[in-house]
Amino acid sequence: MSKVRWGVLSTAKIGTVKVIPGMQKGQYCEVTGIASRSLESAQAAADQLHIPKAYGSYEALLEDPEIDAVYIPLPNHLHVPWAIKAMQAGKHVLCEKPIGLNVEDARHLADIAYQHPNLKVMEAFMYRHHPQWQKAREIVREGGIGTPVTIQCFFSYYNNNPTDIRNNPDWGGGGIMDIGCYPISLSRFILEGEPEKVIASVTRDEEFKTDVVSSVMIDFGGLMSTFTCGTKIAPYQRVNIFGTEGRVEIQIPFNAPPDKPCIMWHQQGEQILEIELPVADQYTIQGDLMSQAILEDTDVPTPISDAVANMEVIEAVFRSERSGRWESVSHMVTK
Ligand SMILES: NC(=O)c1ccc[n+]([C@@H]2O[C@H](COP(=O)([O-])OP(=O)(O)OC[C@H]3O[C@@H](n4cnc5c(N)ncnc54)[C@H](OP(=O)(O)O)[C@@H]3O)[C@@H](O)[C@H]2O)c1
């Protein structure tokens, strides 16, 4: 097998617009099938994206022995149930973020994954695989900003659509689950550790009951990462990583365009160096890295324990919303 044969569960926008076209450019990925609750929708997506097989149910795709791995871009409340069904059908799993609805959900998925050591399972935090984030981590690791002191992140968009999955609290909607999960993830990625505690100020939408504006402080033992995210704010995204002697700023930290170079800045003292990264599609890289791990039976770049650890922080944020105080982050992950 020189390429992994991928199946996609649903005709979700992120899949059809970004992830499938990205994976189709990959060296080790073949998008073989797409499933929808409606065969008509699956067939239309398959025709549009030149995918050989279409299925009228997710079960039908999972039953196909010609599918090796599935990509799951379902609403958040369906991530864990379908990831488990996929593993039980013998498929490797790339599942969209956030991995589940809460820590219990995430740990359940991880437990099932540990019972299937022959299968690879990964949360689709694609941003980590983009060269700009690899570069940012390298600069920090090599002391290019001195000692890291604080990270600041802003991530927002305006979405007032009552039928959007993001505006349904029962399906894991809201800004913290949808985009607050990124600054939590990147802080853990860059600082290469787990936070001790968090405190959050959260405003909820009167109509949707989802969190629409949240500001969060994440304490990594005196080293603070802060972010504001929101779902009814003009769209914007930016990350700054500050150290004692320098700073790294990423212009488009999460939705890096697949067809244009990305820009980041590395400040050292008074000097600011602009770094232009070559054009890269983070979804192609993500698909190829996971496929290589499958083909070569090596570890996936981001283990499932990372997804559980991220959910531990998200859950502490919601605890802090309710208590109005600092809340400890539990660290139950053992693998
Ligand atoms: N990594 C990234 O860059 C990124 C970006 C955006 C979103 N995401 C994640 O990707 C996931 C999907 O987001 P999206 O915006 O692409 O979603 P979306 O366009 O709303 O699609 C969700 C799909 O789920 C299927 N589905 C199954 N049961 C459903 C139900 N009860 N109600 C609605 N849809 C149902 C539908 O497909 P069928 O009708 O074909 O069955 C639908 O098209 C989310 O977890 C989100 O967090 C990730």
Side-chain angles (χ1 to χ4, degrees):
M1 183 168 54
S2 59
K3 286 191 176 193
V4 173
R5 297 167 299 181
W6 285 89
V8 180
L9 295 191
S10 89
T11 57
K13 188 171 169 206
I14 182 63
T16 52
V17 175
K18 300 259 180 81
V19 181
I20 296 171
M23 290 175 87
Q24 286 174 323
K25 291 185 279 176
Q27 201 181 333
Y28 303 106
C29 304
E30 193 171 286
V31 181
T32 303
I34 184 161
S36 172
R37 293 164 299 168
S38 125
L39 181 58
E40 213 181 351
S41 301
Q43 194 59 60
D47 292 347
Q48 188 203 332
L49 292 160
H50 310 291
I51 299 171
K53 295 185 178 198
Y55 313 79
S57 73
Y58 306 151
E59 287 88 351
L61 184 148
L62 295 185
E63 281 163 16
D64 187 343
E66 293 183 352
I67 298 289
D68 307 309
V70 294
Y71 163 59
I72 305 182
L74 290 167
N76 298 339
H77 68 302
L78 297 176
H79 288 176
V80 169
W82 281 99
I84 291 174
K85 281 183 203 184
M87 283 188 273
Q88 287 167 344
K91 314 295 185 196
H92 306 277
V93 172
L94 174 64
C95 182
E96 267 308 338
K97 42 55 59 178
I99 199 71
L101 289 181
N102 49 44
V103 172
E104 190 187 356
D105 220 17
R107 283 200 198 130
H108 181 47
L109 173 60
D111 285 344
I112 305 288
Y114 297 144
Q115 290 165 21
H116 294 81
N118 55 325
L119 297 176
K120 310 292 173 193
V121 184
M122 187 168 84
E123 185 178 33
F125 265 124
M126 74 304 172
Y127 80 93
R128 283 188 174 191
H129 313 299
H130 194 284
Q132 63 184 359
W133 278 102
Q134 298 293 324
K135 182 77 186 167
R137 197 187 215 197
E138 183 190 304
I139 292 171
V140 173
R141 268 186 183 170
E142 290 176 353
I145 60 168
T147 305
V149 178
T150 190
I151 297 178
Q152 284 192 341
C153 175
F154 196 98
F155 197 0
S156 62
Y157 56 74
Y158 194 93
N159 181 331
N160 202 23
N161 175 0
T163 65
D164 192 291
I165 58 172
R166 288 160 190 75
N167 292 324
N168 185 333
D170 298 333
W171 292 3
I176 291 165
M177 289 287 273
D178 192 42
I179 48 178
C181 59
Y182 285 95
I184 293 170
S185 172
L186 76 87
S187 303
R188 298 175 43 256
F189 178 69
I190 289 294
L191 300 175
E192 301 190 54
E194 297 302 333
E196 292 177 1
K197 56 187 180 175
V198 301
I199 191 162
S201 160
V202 176
T203 304
R204 290 205 171 249
D205 187 74
E206 284 186 8
E207 183 190 352
F208 302 142
K209 313 295 178 210
T210 50
D211 53 290
V212 279
V213 187
S214 303
S215 291
V216 177
M217 293 171 76
I218 314 171
D219 185 345
F220 287 77
L223 197 160
M224 208 64 75
S225 176
T226 66
F227 72 87
T228 293
C229 68
T231 60
K232 280 192 178 176
I233 312 178
Y236 187 68
Q237 53 185 270
R238 191 61 63 94
V239 169
N240 260 293
I241 305 161
F242 296 90
T244 48
E245 290 152 38
R247 177 179 70 86
V248 168
E249 179 174 355
I250 301 186
Q251 186 181 38
I252 310 177
F254 310 115
N255 299 118
D259 53 355
K260 291 189 193 76
C262 283
I263 302 292
M264 62 194 286
W265 296 277
H266 179 196
Q267 178 177 346
Q268 282 186 299
E270 299 291 315
Q271 279 198 324
I272 301 178
L273 174 69
E274 182 167 293
I275 304 170
E276 186 178 293
L277 284 306
V279 174
D281 186 327
Q282 55 195 350
Y283 301 104
T284 307
I285 301 171
Q286 172 179 258
D288 265 351
L289 287 173
M290 172 121 186
S291 297
Q292 271 179 291
I294 293 169
L295 294 168
E296 294 162 14
D297 193 17
T298 52
D299 290 341
V300 289
T302 314
I304 194 64
S305 56
D306 186 276
V308 180
N310 218 55
M311 193 53 75
E312 303 267 14
V313 186
I314 294 173
E315 202 166 279
V317 168
F318 288 126
R319 278 203 304 278
S320 175
E321 177 195 2
R322 292 191 294 273
S323 71
R325 291 194 295 266
W326 284 97
E327 290 288 340
S328 304
V329 177
S330 59
H331 299 293
M332 300 285 287
V333 179
T334 51
K335 288 192 189 182

